[in-house]
Amino acid sequence: VDDKVCISEANDQFHRDRLVDANIVRILRARRDACQRWYDRDYDDMERFCKPYREDHEEAATNFFIRYGELAFWTDVRDAFMKQKHRLLWEREHGPIGTKPQTKE
């Protein structure tokens, strides 16, 4: 808990992971946009051919927001762990995010 070197290395890895994940989302967004520009005039073809790119981008963006959303750029790795802990506790009580609330019977 008080190991400064371990905390520093964890922070460095956290920031590297964040940059990698941000670039993944950026690349998937560029692929989606390129596909939409290619099939700009024909909406049916756009829906058919660009659907995998759109779904991949939406999933990556959602996962990025789950992990890093509402955290400032200078955030410490401990803040990210607290966010994850709070989300897991919330999901334990209410069920996964995006599902209907569980009723206690």
Side-chain angles (χ1 to χ4, degrees):
V1 174
D2 293 330
D3 188 3
K4 303 259 186 224
V5 174
C6 183
I7 291 172
S8 175
E9 289 178 1
N11 277 330
D12 292 343
Q13 185 63 44
F14 172 72
H15 288 293
R16 279 192 302 268
D17 290 344
R18 186 177 188 163
L19 290 174
V20 167
D21 290 342
N23 280 327
I24 289 171
V25 172
R26 183 183 55 81
I27 290 168
L28 291 174
R29 182 183 316 117
R31 288 180 182 174
R32 181 203 64 194
D33 292 346
C35 182
Q36 288 177 346
R37 280 192 305 272
W38 183 262
Y39 294 106
D40 187 30
R41 304 282 184 224
D42 193 359
Y43 186 75
D44 293 333
D45 283 346
M46 184 190 305
E47 286 295 314
R48 184 174 65 198
F49 293 120
C50 298
K51 184 177 180 181
Y53 298 114
R54 189 178 66 245
E55 290 173 350
D56 290 344
H57 174 258
E58 287 176 3
E59 182 180 355
T62 301
N63 290 335
F64 184 85
F65 184 77
I66 288 171
R67 188 166 180 191
Y68 304 108
E70 300 174 353
L71 294 176
F73 183 76
W74 57 85
T75 299
D76 193 2
V77 70
R78 290 173 285 193
D79 295 329
F81 285 142
M82 286 297 110
K83 179 181 177 185
Q84 182 182 14
K85 181 190 85 167
H86 292 291
R87 190 187 95 239
L88 292 174
L89 290 174
W90 192 90
E91 285 181 349
R92 182 184 297 167
E93 183 176 338
H94 301 286
I97 296 173
T99 60
K100 293 184 179 181
Q102 298 175 349
T103 57
K104 295 181 180 180
E105 295 177 27

